[in-house]
Amino acid sequence: MKLTETLYTITGISAFLISATIEYYFFESITQGPDFSFIMIGTFEVAKILSIMITRSIILQNSNAISTPLAVLSWAVKVFLVTLSLISSIGLISSNLDRPHLKKVKENDKARAEMLYTEKLGNLKEQQESILNKSISEIKDRYKIRYEKLAGYYEPKISNEEQLRDLEFNREINGVRRGQHYYEHERKLNEYSTNYKIEKDRLEAAEDKEIKDLIGKTNAKYQEKFEALDSNREVNLNTIERNDYKQDARVANGLVKSFLETLENGLHLKIEYLTFSILFSLLVSFTLEGLIYIIFNNLSIIFSTRKEDVSLAEETKNLKEFLNKNIHDAKGFISKNPDEEGVINGSY
């Protein structure tokens, strides 16, 4: 009997711990406060068990010991605590049954969306850089031809004027090295050199402007593409976040899904996934809370009954000792035939 009572007690404590754990995780997920949830749930669960056991013990000792208002309040508190446990159990169990892989699937889809965004962004940047490099190269090639034509026009003239000037410098006419022809060639040389530099600077400025305009237009064009890509990324992420994935098999519990498919195919009994999750969580919750109430209620009865048995046995023992000492063993009153005196054979 002691082994049975021990197992019964262990079962009750196990049900109590499971219920407390479920409530803790449920409240912790809501309040985001582990310490607060632990203290609150510990208080509630211990109060629930004590209210069951103490109320039953008081009723067993004296059914009229608890006044009606106090009894109503006691039942109201117990109903509140049991309801709280039921809500927590249903909430946590159903959330684990209903699309248990939802968070993971969402994270995977978001990661995939981010990967696609990064890939497209990289491709756009590579495309932009490639177009810019190609276009800039084409501009430089065109201006290179113009530079070559400009050089082909001015450099021979400049070189020729330098040679003629130097030639005039080396000629001495009437004792003078720098005559009229020398200065004429030097003037033309300066003129050609100046014009060459002006034309060359003008070409460089035109080239720089064309390249800057090209870069500006290309960047503006691709900036629109980048913004469209960013907008599309936000839309995709928001869509994933708002999606409930009810029709997505990836988020479902594989075992539950297989069970429901078996019911539908074998028994033609179609049950929605969410409906099954709620019904199953209700079944588990009511079973768990019912076990807690029944076990601890019965334990109170067992312990109270045992105390009464011990008290009764103690009273019987005291009575026997009193009879043996004061009646059967008294001087002058020792019965030779106890059966005739109406007393059971043997000493007490």
Side-chain angles (χ1 to χ4, degrees), residues 139-161:
I139 292 173
K140 288 183 176 294
D141 289 341
R142 283 193 289 106
Y143 276 88
K144 182 180 179 182
I145 295 173
R146 297 177 67 178
Y147 284 126
E148 289 175 352
K149 288 181 179 181
L150 188 65
Y153 176 78
Y154 280 103
E155 288 180 2
K157 294 181 179 299
I158 291 172
S159 179
N160 183 54
E161 293 299 328

Side-chain angles (χ1 to χ4, degrees), residues 23-33 37 92:
E23 286 187 49
Y24 168 77
Y25 282 117
F26 181 76
F27 273 84
E28 196 273 336
S29 64
I30 295 176
T31 62
Q32 300 297 319
S37 298
L92 188 64

Side-chain angles (χ1 to χ4, degrees), residues 86-103:
L86 282 171
I87 293 173
S88 301
S89 301
I90 293 170
L92 188 64
I93 295 172
S94 61
S95 66
N96 287 324
L97 285 176
D98 180 31
R99 296 166 293 168
H101 307 302
L102 177 61
K103 183 178 180 181

